[in-house]
């Protein structure tokens, strides 16, 4: 029988975002929604260990959070008017139609990705409320401090209240205007599952990658002609195909050049390649996700790491850099350049990115590998130290530590 602690933890992962979004839509106040859901979980933590887990934990939390929200509204000023409004909204919510989107989680993501908010605010707020990611995890995804991200989410909530942005079910006309934010949310949820940023989580969070893929499939069924939605699905499938090979039995991250390609999922690779070909056949200029999918298609087409068409990978990154001239893209391009033009050329590019990426562990990890290859052992050791300090993923820390220690044994 599942313990009360495990039940609460699972409910937090599965229900928190849904409950907050539902109450925010119902009562029109994000603060009340979050506070009421938090109170419901606190009551569960107090009662379930002694009284047992209810047969329907999600339903119990929904009922409790809804009652707490109504209690809070009653205690505020203009109690009668707000209570009446809340009851009307509750009745309307229970009777509302699914609208253009039948999937509850995807509908909530579209709801939160309102075009009145700046793109980064939409994505951050949705990851917090619906994706279930912590402020710290979101901050790491955006390469900003936890304090800065917390302020960004707070400002987004304040704008929603000030502008009275409704939490209405999106219609078919809303989808094209909101899809870019939804894709960004799904991409970041998948990334957190692909390589968890927290030391307290499993290195690979398969429940997040699976949910991102599921939601992306639903989105593609709604918008089959959206090349970026199809491209993102292809990217997810090709990345997920390598999951079994990415962490060793000892819990250490396995880099691409050392993975057992025989353990890659052939069905996911075939489906991903088919979607990439579908995007190419459309004749439209590829977007960011389509280019990333094409890069992964090159990697998963090679039977051996040495067979990788690195010139093609560099050419695809050149296209991507024109669409997204970010430091992250430049860093990833440099890794491919090292295979074409040598590590010294790549290192010169990476060194130019230090000011913008000094707090990003992957920058220091990449630099450490390049320094190792050009024979600068002391500098490589320092870079590994910094990468280990900044990395949160336990499997990645184990790999970086071993690489650093091996360097120390030889030099």
């Amino acid at each position: 029988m599942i313990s009360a602690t495990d039940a609460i933890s699972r409910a937090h992962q599965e229900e928190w975002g849904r409950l907050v979004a539902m109450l925010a839509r119902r009562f029109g106040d994000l603060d009340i929604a979050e506070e009421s859901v938090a109170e419901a979980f606190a009551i569960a933590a107090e009662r379930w260990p002694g009284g047992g887990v209810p047969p329907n934990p999600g339903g119990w939390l929904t009922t409790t959070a809804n009652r707490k929200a109504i209690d809070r509204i009653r205690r505020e000023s203009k109690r009668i008017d707000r209570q009446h409004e809340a009851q009307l909204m509750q009745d309307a919510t229970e009777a509302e139609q699914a609208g253009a989107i039948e999937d509850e989680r995807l509908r909530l993501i579209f709801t939160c990705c309102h075009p009145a908010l700046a793109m980064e605010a939409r994505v951050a707020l949705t990851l917090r409320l619906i994706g279930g990611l912590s402020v710290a995890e979101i901050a790491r995804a955006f390469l900003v401090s936890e304090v800065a991200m917390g302020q960004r989410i707070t400002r987004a909530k304040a704008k929603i209240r000030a502008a009275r942005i409704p939490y209405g079910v999106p219609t078919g006309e809303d989808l094209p205007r909101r899809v870019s934010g939804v894709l960004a949310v799904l991409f970041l949820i998948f990334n957190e599952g692909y390589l968890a940023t927290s030391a307290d989580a499993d290195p690979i969070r398969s429940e997040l990658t699976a949910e991102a893929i599921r939601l992306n499939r639903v989105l593609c069924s709604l918008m089959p002609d959206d090349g970026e939605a199809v491209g993102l699905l292809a990217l997810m499938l090709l990345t997920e195909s390598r999951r079994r090979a990415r962490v060793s039995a000892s819990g250490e991250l396995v880099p691409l050049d050392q993975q057992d390609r025989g353990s890659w999922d052939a069905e996911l690779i075939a489906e991903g390649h088919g979607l990439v070909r579908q995007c190419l056949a459309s004749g439209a200029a590829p977007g960011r996700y389509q280019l990333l999918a094409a890069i992964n298609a090159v990697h998963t087409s090679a039977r051996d790491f040495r067979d990788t068409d690195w010139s093609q990978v560099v050419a695809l990154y050149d296209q991507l850099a024109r669409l997204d001239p970010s430091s992250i893209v430049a860093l990833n391009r440099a890794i491919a350049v090292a295979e074409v033009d040598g590590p010294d050329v790549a290192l010169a590019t990476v060194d130019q990115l230090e000011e913008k990426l000094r707090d990003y562990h992957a920058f220091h990890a990449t630099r450490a590998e390049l320094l190792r290859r050009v024979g600068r052992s002391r500098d490589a050791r320092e870079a590994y130290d910094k990468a280990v300090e900044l990395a949160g993923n336990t499997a990645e820390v184990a790999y970086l530590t071993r690489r650093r220690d091996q360097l120390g044994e030889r030099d």
Side-chain angles (χ1 to χ4, degrees):
M1 180 179 294
I2 186 171
S3 69
T5 301
D6 290 340
I8 294 170
S9 177
R10 179 182 299 175
H12 190 280
Q13 293 180 1
E14 298 176 354
E15 300 291 339
W16 182 281
R18 181 187 70 82
L19 287 174
V20 170
M22 180 192 71
L23 293 179
R25 187 174 69 244
R26 178 172 295 175
F27 299 113
D29 193 310
L30 273 173
D31 287 337
I32 286 179
E34 287 191 315
E35 291 167 2
S36 300
V37 172
E39 192 170 355
F41 272 91
I43 294 172
E46 179 182 348
R47 294 183 183 177
W48 292 6
V53 179
N56 182 2
W60 187 96
L61 288 166
T62 299
T63 300
T64 303
N66 186 71
R67 288 173 178 168
K68 292 302 176 182
I70 292 176
D71 288 344
R72 287 177 180 277
I73 289 173
R74 285 172 175 164
R75 291 196 296 265
E76 292 184 4
S77 60
K78 300 181 180 179
R79 174 176 54 85
I80 297 177
D81 289 341
R82 292 198 65 179
Q83 182 181 348
H84 177 64
E85 179 184 355
Q87 187 61 51
L88 289 176
M89 292 181 71
Q90 178 176 350
D91 293 342
T93 300
E94 292 172 351
E96 73 179 0
Q97 299 299 314
I101 306 172
E102 293 184 1
D103 186 272
E104 173 70 14
R105 180 69 63 84
L106 188 61
R107 185 161 70 246
L108 292 173
I109 292 175
F110 265 98
T111 299
C112 286
C113 287
H114 197 286
L117 297 174
M119 177 60 72
E120 287 192 349
R122 292 184 225 173
V123 174
L125 186 61
T126 309
L127 287 171
R128 182 73 184 97
L129 298 184
I130 311 301
L133 302 189
S134 68
V135 175
E137 289 168 338
I138 300 169
R140 286 190 286 267
F142 281 88
L143 301 184
V144 299
S145 70
E146 185 174 348
V147 172
M149 181 51 65
Q151 292 173 343
R152 184 179 298 176
I153 293 173
T154 299
R155 287 194 298 269
K157 293 179 184 178
K159 182 168 184 179
I160 287 173
R161 290 194 298 271
R164 297 184 179 180
I165 296 174
Y167 273 74
V169 178
T171 65
E173 295 178 355
D174 293 325
L175 303 190
R177 292 183 298 165
R178 303 190 187 189
V179 70
S180 58
V182 172
L183 291 174
V185 168
L186 296 182
F187 179 61
L188 291 176
I189 290 175
F190 182 88
N191 277 355
E192 181 61 27
Y194 167 76
L195 194 67
T197 59
S198 173
D200 298 328
D202 291 335
I204 297 176
R205 299 176 63 182
S206 56
E207 78 281 3
L208 290 182
T209 58
E211 179 65 357
I213 290 172
R214 185 190 73 79
L215 292 172
N216 205 344
R217 289 189 185 279
V218 176
L219 181 59
C220 286
S221 70
L222 289 169
M223 308 179 71
D225 297 326
D226 190 297
E228 281 292 80
V230 174
L232 180 57
L233 179 57
L235 171 61
M236 289 182 180
L237 295 176
L238 293 174
T239 305
E240 182 71 1
S241 71
R242 297 186 282 108
R243 176 167 56 86
R244 289 196 296 266
R246 291 184 52 244
V247 176
S248 70
S250 62
E252 183 177 307
L253 193 70
V254 181
L256 183 63
D257 63 325
Q258 298 174 28
Q259 289 178 14
D260 174 15
R261 300 192 173 210
S263 68
W264 289 359
D265 191 316
E267 290 186 6
L268 290 182
I269 291 174
E271 184 180 1
H273 285 181
L275 293 174
V276 171
R277 289 193 293 271
Q278 176 183 327
C279 292
L280 293 173
S282 70
R288 176 173 180 248
Y289 299 118
Q290 294 171 72
L291 289 170
L292 287 171
I295 291 169
N296 275 266
V298 174
H299 286 303
T300 50
S301 295
R303 293 187 177 182
D304 187 271
F305 182 80
R306 293 168 294 185
D307 298 330
T308 305
D309 187 347
W310 289 105
S311 296
Q312 178 69 6
V313 173
V314 172
L316 288 167
Y317 269 119
D318 287 340
Q319 291 187 61
L320 181 60
R322 288 192 285 272
L323 292 178
D324 180 16
S326 68
S327 299
I328 300 296
V329 171
L331 179 67
N332 290 327
R333 179 185 179 277
I335 296 172
V337 167
E339 303 300 326
V340 176
D341 298 323
D344 51 342
V345 176
L347 184 59
T349 298
V350 170
D351 283 342
Q352 295 174 7
L353 303 174
E354 183 171 8
E355 182 177 352
K356 293 184 178 179
L357 298 180
R358 66 174 71 252
D359 295 325
Y360 183 40
H361 79 279
F363 163 77
H364 297 282
T366 300
R367 188 166 179 270
E369 291 292 331
L370 294 174
L371 288 166
R372 171 197 288 268
R373 290 174 62 179
V374 299
R376 293 169 55 182
S377 301
R378 180 177 300 176
D379 292 335
R381 191 175 296 108
E382 291 178 358
Y384 278 125
D385 285 339
K386 189 64 176 178
V388 169
E389 176 188 336
L390 293 173
N393 187 283
T394 54
E396 194 167 17
V397 169
Y399 167 73
L400 292 170
T401 301
R402 180 175 64 81
R403 293 289 283 176
R404 180 197 61 195
D405 293 346
Q406 285 178 337
L407 184 66
E409 292 170 3
R410 294 199 304 266
D411 299 276

